[in-house]
Amino acid sequence: PLELAAASGALGELLREAGRYGESAPLLALAVQQAIAAQGPDHPDVAAYLLNEGNLLRATGDLAGASLRYERALAIFEAAHGPDHPFVATALTNVAGLASGLGDGASARPLLERAVAIYEKTLPPDHEFLATGLNNLGTRQLNDGDLEAAFATLTRAAQVWERSLGPAHPSTVTGWRNVATTLLASGRAADAATLLGEVASRAAAVLPTNHPAVAGARVQQAEALSWAGDQVAALALYRTALPVLEAGLGADHPDLAWPLTDLARSERLVGDEEAARAALTRVEGIVRRQILPLLDATSERERILLLQSLRHHADLALSVFDRPSDAASAYRALLAWKGAALGSLLAQRAVARAGADPKSQETAMALVATRQDLAELVFARDAPDRAARMKALATKKEALERALS
């Protein structure tokens, strides 16, 4: 059983990371079962497999199932290792992430603070796990609007990553980009642009200039320059860095939606409304083709981020499109995105509310399976009777959502 648990757990994790959730689920469940059979229900190995299964359930929308597994894993780790073990900190981070995804920042923040305290007590000061814990806490502080605390915490995270992994490691670059995001939120766009330029230059000294980590920092630097008022410099940087990012991600990658939106803003500010419209139209296409069909397979956090971006995008749509008919068309698209994202969020929270009632849980699990089938069918372009099956699944999904509402 131990060998089977390890093998199924490893393969299940690989499939989960590849987005193949339907194939991953039975393997991760089998890993838990075999670990229990071999070592009993309270062994730390069982807790590790429970965390992996919880991560999958969270990604597929089963928040109630994810919560049960996270809490059980936390209890096992605390009983086996005591309250101050790094494994306990890892479980705390998962519980906090679930709370944050549901908008419960008040519950998430003390859990993240406790996780950081554990890492500080038990790990070397330059350990990358400490950096990850600090980054999680700093992101929570940023989302709470506590900008001063977020800046200090995220700066520490980036410094630890840089000492432990080097200046060009993707985690280090991400850490400093998070610090820059805090500077932007604090109205310090010029400082953010300077920081991002330094980060990109340090990374480029080690990595090829066309590396996605370098290009991503340059694109964010362009955004900061734009908000600092230097549209000429921003556009010049966008025009060199965005093609590099596109080459690495693909022209329709969802991660391009935000920088293209900011590019549209800069083009609009220099008076090139045609270029602004073209960029914004690309964003609309990316969201329509790549994001909306997958809402039912994305995480709660990703849906919330999409909703948060809509106001900024709406303001641009109404300012960039001169003709009322164009603006109205763009605004209708925005409302459609918002409606789809909100509907998906409400369905996911209905699953979480199902609680322990057996009938509600059965309905909730049927909804999770139906949503996953529908999301996977989006990719199955050559599937027999694809259109009819998608319509039937959509009808079934709506009925299950009504039953849980």
mmCIF file with all atom_site columns, all heavy atoms in Angstrom, residues 23 28 67 74 82 84 145 158 211 245 256 305 321 327 341 349 357:
data_model
loop_
_atom_site.group_PDB
_atom_site.id
_atom_site.type_symbol
_atom_site.label_atom_id
_atom_site.label_alt_id
_atom_site.label_comp_id
_atom_site.label_asym_id
_atom_site.label_entity_id
_atom_site.label_seq_id
_atom_site.pdbx_PDB_ins_code
_atom_site.Cartn_x
_atom_site.Cartn_y
_atom_site.Cartn_z
_atom_site.occupancy
_atom_site.B_iso_or_equiv
_atom_site.pdbx_formal_charge
_atom_site.auth_seq_id
_atom_site.auth_comp_id
_atom_site.auth_asym_id
_atom_site.auth_atom_id
_atom_site.pdbx_PDB_model_num
ATOM 1   N N   . GLU A 1 23  ? -8.685  13.066 -14.330 1.00 0.00 ? 23  GLU A N   1
ATOM 2   C CA  . GLU A 1 23  ? -7.777  11.933 -14.199 1.00 0.00 ? 23  GLU A CA  1
ATOM 3   C C   . GLU A 1 23  ? -7.054  11.962 -12.864 1.00 0.00 ? 23  GLU A C   1
ATOM 4   O O   . GLU A 1 23  ? -6.688  10.922 -12.314 1.00 0.00 ? 23  GLU A O   1
ATOM 5   C CB  . GLU A 1 23  ? -6.754  11.945 -15.335 1.00 0.00 ? 23  GLU A CB  1
ATOM 6   C CG  . GLU A 1 23  ? -7.354  11.802 -16.728 1.00 0.00 ? 23  GLU A CG  1
ATOM 7   C CD  . GLU A 1 23  ? -6.322  12.095 -17.808 1.00 0.00 ? 23  GLU A CD  1
ATOM 8   O OE1 . GLU A 1 23  ? -5.451  11.243 -18.016 1.00 0.00 ? 23  GLU A OE1 1
ATOM 9   O OE2 . GLU A 1 23  ? -6.398  13.175 -18.429 1.00 0.00 ? 23  GLU A OE2 1
ATOM 10  N N   . LEU A 1 28  ? -5.458  10.739 -6.501  1.00 0.00 ? 28  LEU A N   1
ATOM 11  C CA  . LEU A 1 28  ? -5.199  11.386 -5.210  1.00 0.00 ? 28  LEU A CA  1
ATOM 12  C C   . LEU A 1 28  ? -6.050  10.767 -4.107  1.00 0.00 ? 28  LEU A C   1
ATOM 13  O O   . LEU A 1 28  ? -5.591  10.628 -2.969  1.00 0.00 ? 28  LEU A O   1
ATOM 14  C CB  . LEU A 1 28  ? -5.461  12.886 -5.323  1.00 0.00 ? 28  LEU A CB  1
ATOM 15  C CG  . LEU A 1 28  ? -4.492  13.652 -6.242  1.00 0.00 ? 28  LEU A CG  1
ATOM 16  C CD1 . LEU A 1 28  ? -4.859  15.131 -6.289  1.00 0.00 ? 28  LEU A CD1 1
ATOM 17  C CD2 . LEU A 1 28  ? -3.058  13.477 -5.787  1.00 0.00 ? 28  LEU A CD2 1
ATOM 18  N N   . SER A 1 67  ? -12.151 22.034 2.417   1.00 0.00 ? 67  SER A N   1
ATOM 19  C CA  . SER A 1 67  ? -12.070 22.491 3.802   1.00 0.00 ? 67  SER A CA  1
ATOM 20  C C   . SER A 1 67  ? -11.940 21.307 4.758   1.00 0.00 ? 67  SER A C   1
ATOM 21  O O   . SER A 1 67  ? -11.125 21.331 5.695   1.00 0.00 ? 67  SER A O   1
ATOM 22  C CB  . SER A 1 67  ? -13.303 23.317 4.160   1.00 0.00 ? 67  SER A CB  1
ATOM 23  O OG  . SER A 1 67  ? -13.247 23.740 5.503   1.00 0.00 ? 67  SER A OG  1
ATOM 24  N N   . LEU A 1 74  ? -4.421  19.506 9.070   1.00 0.00 ? 74  LEU A N   1
ATOM 25  C CA  . LEU A 1 74  ? -3.879  20.371 10.110  1.00 0.00 ? 74  LEU A CA  1
ATOM 26  C C   . LEU A 1 74  ? -3.924  19.671 11.472  1.00 0.00 ? 74  LEU A C   1
ATOM 27  O O   . LEU A 1 74  ? -2.940  19.705 12.234  1.00 0.00 ? 74  LEU A O   1
ATOM 28  C CB  . LEU A 1 74  ? -4.675  21.679 10.160  1.00 0.00 ? 74  LEU A CB  1
ATOM 29  C CG  . LEU A 1 74  ? -4.314  22.662 11.281  1.00 0.00 ? 74  LEU A CG  1
ATOM 30  C CD1 . LEU A 1 74  ? -2.855  23.079 11.189  1.00 0.00 ? 74  LEU A CD1 1
ATOM 31  C CD2 . LEU A 1 74  ? -5.229  23.890 11.216  1.00 0.00 ? 74  LEU A CD2 1
ATOM 32  N N   . GLY A 1 82  ? 3.354   18.585 16.994  1.00 0.00 ? 82  GLY A N   1
ATOM 33  C CA  . GLY A 1 82  ? 3.236   19.744 17.858  1.00 0.00 ? 82  GLY A CA  1
ATOM 34  C C   . GLY A 1 82  ? 2.815   20.968 17.072  1.00 0.00 ? 82  GLY A C   1
ATOM 35  O O   . GLY A 1 82  ? 2.757   20.951 15.831  1.00 0.00 ? 82  GLY A O   1
ATOM 36  N N   . ASP A 1 84  ? 4.223   23.838 16.414  1.00 0.00 ? 84  ASP A N   1
ATOM 37  C CA  . ASP A 1 84  ? 5.201   24.738 15.800  1.00 0.00 ? 84  ASP A CA  1
ATOM 38  C C   . ASP A 1 84  ? 6.064   24.057 14.746  1.00 0.00 ? 84  ASP A C   1
ATOM 39  O O   . ASP A 1 84  ? 7.229   24.417 14.553  1.00 0.00 ? 84  ASP A O   1
ATOM 40  C CB  . ASP A 1 84  ? 6.109   25.337 16.881  1.00 0.00 ? 84  ASP A CB  1
ATOM 41  C CG  . ASP A 1 84  ? 5.354   26.249 17.821  1.00 0.00 ? 84  ASP A CG  1
ATOM 42  O OD1 . ASP A 1 84  ? 4.371   26.879 17.376  1.00 0.00 ? 84  ASP A OD1 1
ATOM 43  O OD2 . ASP A 1 84  ? 5.729   26.323 19.010  1.00 0.00 ? 84  ASP A OD2 1
ATOM 44  N N   . GLY A 1 145 ? -5.706  46.236 2.269   1.00 0.00 ? 145 GLY A N   1
ATOM 45  C CA  . GLY A 1 145 ? -5.458  47.671 2.220   1.00 0.00 ? 145 GLY A CA  1
ATOM 46  C C   . GLY A 1 145 ? -4.444  48.161 3.225   1.00 0.00 ? 145 GLY A C   1
ATOM 47  O O   . GLY A 1 145 ? -4.267  49.373 3.388   1.00 0.00 ? 145 GLY A O   1
ATOM 48  N N   . ALA A 1 158 ? 10.863  39.083 -0.742  1.00 0.00 ? 158 ALA A N   1
ATOM 49  C CA  . ALA A 1 158 ? 11.715  39.190 -1.920  1.00 0.00 ? 158 ALA A CA  1
ATOM 50  C C   . ALA A 1 158 ? 13.193  39.089 -1.552  1.00 0.00 ? 158 ALA A C   1
ATOM 51  O O   . ALA A 1 158 ? 13.989  38.460 -2.262  1.00 0.00 ? 158 ALA A O   1
ATOM 52  C CB  . ALA A 1 158 ? 11.429  40.505 -2.642  1.00 0.00 ? 158 ALA A CB  1
ATOM 53  N N   . HIS A 1 211 ? 13.683  35.962 -21.868 1.00 0.00 ? 211 HIS A N   1
ATOM 54  C CA  . HIS A 1 211 ? 13.094  35.065 -20.870 1.00 0.00 ? 211 HIS A CA  1
ATOM 55  C C   . HIS A 1 211 ? 11.796  35.669 -20.348 1.00 0.00 ? 211 HIS A C   1
ATOM 56  O O   . HIS A 1 211 ? 11.706  36.878 -20.114 1.00 0.00 ? 211 HIS A O   1
ATOM 57  C CB  . HIS A 1 211 ? 14.073  34.855 -19.714 1.00 0.00 ? 211 HIS A CB  1
ATOM 58  C CG  . HIS A 1 211 ? 13.701  33.729 -18.807 1.00 0.00 ? 211 HIS A CG  1
ATOM 59  N ND1 . HIS A 1 211 ? 12.732  33.855 -17.831 1.00 0.00 ? 211 HIS A ND1 1
ATOM 60  C CD2 . HIS A 1 211 ? 14.142  32.448 -18.730 1.00 0.00 ? 211 HIS A CD2 1
ATOM 61  C CE1 . HIS A 1 211 ? 12.596  32.716 -17.182 1.00 0.00 ? 211 HIS A CE1 1
ATOM 62  N NE2 . HIS A 1 211 ? 13.450  31.840 -17.698 1.00 0.00 ? 211 HIS A NE2 1
ATOM 63  N N   . LEU A 1 245 ? 6.737   38.494 -24.262 1.00 0.00 ? 245 LEU A N   1
ATOM 64  C CA  . LEU A 1 245 ? 5.799   37.791 -23.393 1.00 0.00 ? 245 LEU A CA  1
ATOM 65  C C   . LEU A 1 245 ? 4.827   36.949 -24.211 1.00 0.00 ? 245 LEU A C   1
ATOM 66  O O   . LEU A 1 245 ? 4.524   35.803 -23.867 1.00 0.00 ? 245 LEU A O   1
ATOM 67  C CB  . LEU A 1 245 ? 5.034   38.816 -22.543 1.00 0.00 ? 245 LEU A CB  1
ATOM 68  C CG  . LEU A 1 245 ? 4.436   38.323 -21.225 1.00 0.00 ? 245 LEU A CG  1
ATOM 69  C CD1 . LEU A 1 245 ? 5.511   37.757 -20.312 1.00 0.00 ? 245 LEU A CD1 1
ATOM 70  C CD2 . LEU A 1 245 ? 3.694   39.454 -20.533 1.00 0.00 ? 245 LEU A CD2 1
ATOM 71  N N   . LEU A 1 256 ? -2.178  37.834 -20.763 1.00 0.00 ? 256 LEU A N   1
ATOM 72  C CA  . LEU A 1 256 ? -1.938  39.020 -21.589 1.00 0.00 ? 256 LEU A CA  1
ATOM 73  C C   . LEU A 1 256 ? -3.070  40.039 -21.494 1.00 0.00 ? 256 LEU A C   1
ATOM 74  O O   . LEU A 1 256 ? -2.911  41.183 -21.938 1.00 0.00 ? 256 LEU A O   1
ATOM 75  C CB  . LEU A 1 256 ? -1.756  38.619 -23.055 1.00 0.00 ? 256 LEU A CB  1
ATOM 76  C CG  . LEU A 1 256 ? -0.497  37.812 -23.388 1.00 0.00 ? 256 LEU A CG  1
ATOM 77  C CD1 . LEU A 1 256 ? -0.547  37.339 -24.831 1.00 0.00 ? 256 LEU A CD1 1
ATOM 78  C CD2 . LEU A 1 256 ? 0.752   38.652 -23.157 1.00 0.00 ? 256 LEU A CD2 1
ATOM 79  N N   . LEU A 1 305 ? -10.388 37.885 -9.167  1.00 0.00 ? 305 LEU A N   1
ATOM 80  C CA  . LEU A 1 305 ? -9.478  38.791 -9.873  1.00 0.00 ? 305 LEU A CA  1
ATOM 81  C C   . LEU A 1 305 ? -10.086 39.269 -11.184 1.00 0.00 ? 305 LEU A C   1
ATOM 82  O O   . LEU A 1 305 ? -9.931  40.429 -11.570 1.00 0.00 ? 305 LEU A O   1
ATOM 83  C CB  . LEU A 1 305 ? -8.140  38.090 -10.125 1.00 0.00 ? 305 LEU A CB  1
ATOM 84  C CG  . LEU A 1 305 ? -7.258  37.874 -8.890  1.00 0.00 ? 305 LEU A CG  1
ATOM 85  C CD1 . LEU A 1 305 ? -6.040  37.032 -9.255  1.00 0.00 ? 305 LEU A CD1 1
ATOM 86  C CD2 . LEU A 1 305 ? -6.807  39.211 -8.316  1.00 0.00 ? 305 LEU A CD2 1
ATOM 87  N N   . PHE A 1 321 ? -13.687 53.888 -26.939 1.00 0.00 ? 321 PHE A N   1
ATOM 88  C CA  . PHE A 1 321 ? -14.566 53.772 -28.091 1.00 0.00 ? 321 PHE A CA  1
ATOM 89  C C   . PHE A 1 321 ? -15.361 55.067 -28.259 1.00 0.00 ? 321 PHE A C   1
ATOM 90  O O   . PHE A 1 321 ? -16.189 55.411 -27.429 1.00 0.00 ? 321 PHE A O   1
ATOM 91  C CB  . PHE A 1 321 ? -15.507 52.572 -27.926 1.00 0.00 ? 321 PHE A CB  1
ATOM 92  C CG  . PHE A 1 321 ? -14.809 51.255 -28.019 1.00 0.00 ? 321 PHE A CG  1
ATOM 93  C CD1 . PHE A 1 321 ? -14.414 50.585 -26.882 1.00 0.00 ? 321 PHE A CD1 1
ATOM 94  C CD2 . PHE A 1 321 ? -14.518 50.687 -29.254 1.00 0.00 ? 321 PHE A CD2 1
ATOM 95  C CE1 . PHE A 1 321 ? -13.758 49.366 -26.953 1.00 0.00 ? 321 PHE A CE1 1
ATOM 96  C CE2 . PHE A 1 321 ? -13.860 49.467 -29.339 1.00 0.00 ? 321 PHE A CE2 1
ATOM 97  C CZ  . PHE A 1 321 ? -13.483 48.808 -28.197 1.00 0.00 ? 321 PHE A CZ  1
ATOM 98  N N   . ALA A 1 327 ? -18.969 51.663 -27.952 1.00 0.00 ? 327 ALA A N   1
ATOM 99  C CA  . ALA A 1 327 ? -18.905 51.651 -26.492 1.00 0.00 ? 327 ALA A CA  1
ATOM 100 C C   . ALA A 1 327 ? -19.977 50.739 -25.910 1.00 0.00 ? 327 ALA A C   1
ATOM 101 O O   . ALA A 1 327 ? -19.726 49.993 -24.957 1.00 0.00 ? 327 ALA A O   1
ATOM 102 C CB  . ALA A 1 327 ? -19.053 53.067 -25.945 1.00 0.00 ? 327 ALA A CB  1
ATOM 103 N N   . ALA A 1 341 ? -18.917 35.298 -14.473 1.00 0.00 ? 341 ALA A N   1
ATOM 104 C CA  . ALA A 1 341 ? -18.043 35.117 -13.311 1.00 0.00 ? 341 ALA A CA  1
ATOM 105 C C   . ALA A 1 341 ? -18.846 35.059 -12.015 1.00 0.00 ? 341 ALA A C   1
ATOM 106 O O   . ALA A 1 341 ? -18.597 34.219 -11.152 1.00 0.00 ? 341 ALA A O   1
ATOM 107 C CB  . ALA A 1 341 ? -17.010 36.239 -13.251 1.00 0.00 ? 341 ALA A CB  1
ATOM 108 N N   . ARG A 1 349 ? -19.982 28.750 -4.200  1.00 0.00 ? 349 ARG A N   1
ATOM 109 C CA  . ARG A 1 349 ? -20.311 28.999 -2.793  1.00 0.00 ? 349 ARG A CA  1
ATOM 110 C C   . ARG A 1 349 ? -21.531 28.185 -2.357  1.00 0.00 ? 349 ARG A C   1
ATOM 111 O O   . ARG A 1 349 ? -21.646 27.827 -1.193  1.00 0.00 ? 349 ARG A O   1
ATOM 112 C CB  . ARG A 1 349 ? -20.523 30.490 -2.581  1.00 0.00 ? 349 ARG A CB  1
ATOM 113 C CG  . ARG A 1 349 ? -19.207 31.249 -2.734  1.00 0.00 ? 349 ARG A CG  1
ATOM 114 C CD  . ARG A 1 349 ? -19.320 32.725 -2.479  1.00 0.00 ? 349 ARG A CD  1
ATOM 115 N NE  . ARG A 1 349 ? -17.997 33.336 -2.615  1.00 0.00 ? 349 ARG A NE  1
ATOM 116 C CZ  . ARG A 1 349 ? -17.741 34.606 -2.372  1.00 0.00 ? 349 ARG A CZ  1
ATOM 117 N NH1 . ARG A 1 349 ? -18.694 35.408 -1.981  1.00 0.00 ? 349 ARG A NH1 1
ATOM 118 N NH2 . ARG A 1 349 ? -16.534 35.080 -2.516  1.00 0.00 ? 349 ARG A NH2 1
ATOM 119 N N   . ASP A 1 357 ? -25.341 18.081 5.196   1.00 0.00 ? 357 ASP A N   1
ATOM 120 C CA  . ASP A 1 357 ? -26.605 17.450 4.816   1.00 0.00 ? 357 ASP A CA  1
ATOM 121 C C   . ASP A 1 357 ? -26.366 16.482 3.654   1.00 0.00 ? 357 ASP A C   1
ATOM 122 O O   . ASP A 1 357 ? -25.884 16.897 2.594   1.00 0.00 ? 357 ASP A O   1
ATOM 123 C CB  . ASP A 1 357 ? -27.611 18.522 4.397   1.00 0.00 ? 357 ASP A CB  1
ATOM 124 C CG  . ASP A 1 357 ? -28.913 17.904 3.913   1.00 0.00 ? 357 ASP A CG  1
ATOM 125 O OD1 . ASP A 1 357 ? -29.583 17.229 4.706   1.00 0.00 ? 357 ASP A OD1 1
ATOM 126 O OD2 . ASP A 1 357 ? -29.228 18.081 2.714   1.00 0.00 ? 357 ASP A OD2 1
#
